[in-house]
Amino acid sequence: MTPTLKRSTPNARESNVRIDVDYLRAMVRKLAFPRVVNTSANAVARQLIIDEFRAMHAAAPVVAGVLQNVYVGAPETATVLLGAHYDSVPGSPGADDNASAVAVLLAVARALAGHPNVIFAAFNSEEFGLAGSREFAATLPAMGLKLEAAYILEMVGYRDSRPHTQRNPLPFLQGVPTTADFLGVVTNHDALLDRILAAAGACAVPFVGIALPEVMANLNAV
């Protein structure tokens, strides 16, 4: 069966969370420099994230594992994880990949500071085999973290309203927009996709999503 693309309805509902757009821009600018894992610049980026988490949360941020993932929140009460990786590929400032997503991570953490059900995680060494998030996931049982959902942000800063600015990354999909003026969502089951798209109705930017349980299962098994 061919997977079906689903779309949000922009501006269909009110949001009770306000995100500071100026803060988003400021964080992208601060993080837009090469941040390859195991470099001094990577450490600078990590410290910036630590400082931001520390300024907005009563709990101290934690640097976890050999790969130095950073998280803030209470593992014993959190049921939702919001994550993004803070390293970049060699030779790139990584403004979109993935400073844009880290900026959103920090902005949401700022808006929901102190929420007991959410843990915010910045992963390192993602550009090398997803190593940071894999290490973090392996520690979840020991942390006592029992998640109901995890939302991982990746390259959310690019938008182009000109025609033919979006290519279809998955040829078997039909109906992928050819204009890059949307945010893409991939989940491992339909119920989660429907929940995300319903919430996305509070955004002016359209969301286009698909549930690919088999693909996600294979990715998790790698």
Side-chain angles (χ1 to χ4, degrees):
M1 181 180 295
T2 303
T4 302
L5 286 173
K6 297 182 178 180
R7 291 169 169 78
S8 70
T9 304
N11 298 318
R13 58 184 292 181
E14 289 291 324
S15 174
N16 57 3
V17 176
R18 300 300 175 193
I19 300 296
D20 187 338
V21 175
D22 291 335
Y23 179 82
L24 286 172
R25 291 194 183 101
M27 288 300 103
V28 171
R29 291 190 181 106
K30 287 182 179 181
L31 283 164
F33 57 88
R35 310 175 300 279
V36 180
V37 65
N38 295 328
T39 65
S40 59
N42 182 264
V44 170
R46 179 167 55 255
Q47 190 59 52
L48 186 153
I49 293 165
I50 291 170
D51 292 344
E52 289 299 315
F53 277 154
R54 184 176 288 130
M56 63 182 74
H57 280 259
V62 177
V63 179
V66 174
L67 295 173
Q68 298 183 300
N69 300 304
V70 182
Y71 74 88
V72 68
E76 61 273 14
T77 60
T79 57
V80 174
L81 180 144
L82 184 67
H85 74 87
Y86 68 87
D87 62 311
S88 66
V89 296
S92 170
D96 190 23
D97 186 8
N98 199 31
S100 63
V102 175
V104 172
L105 171 72
L106 293 172
V108 176
R110 194 170 181 237
L112 299 181
H115 198 300
N117 295 339
V118 186
I119 192 165
F120 303 93
F123 305 121
N124 201 11
S125 195
E126 201 70 1
E127 300 293 1
F128 293 89
L130 311 178
S133 58
R134 292 183 189 281
E135 181 186 63
F136 189 82
T139 68
L140 296 186
M143 292 168 61
L145 193 57
K146 298 179 181 178
L147 295 179
E148 296 176 3
Y151 301 92
I152 308 302
L153 304 167
E154 180 77 15
M155 296 191 295
V156 296
Y158 177 83
R159 188 180 185 188
D160 195 327
S161 58
R162 296 174 299 172
H164 308 298
T165 49
Q166 176 66 50
R167 290 179 295 186
N168 185 348
L170 300 171
F172 63 86
L173 288 181
Q174 301 297 314
V176 174
T178 58
T179 300
D181 63 350
F182 65 95
L183 285 170
V185 181
V186 180
T187 73
N188 61 351
H189 58 85
D190 278 312
L192 180 58
L193 176 61
D194 291 341
R195 190 190 315 168
I196 293 171
L197 294 180
C203 301
V205 177
F207 283 53
V208 176
I210 189 168
L212 297 173
E214 292 183 2
V215 172
M216 300 299 285
N218 291 336
L219 179 62
N220 292 337
V222 172

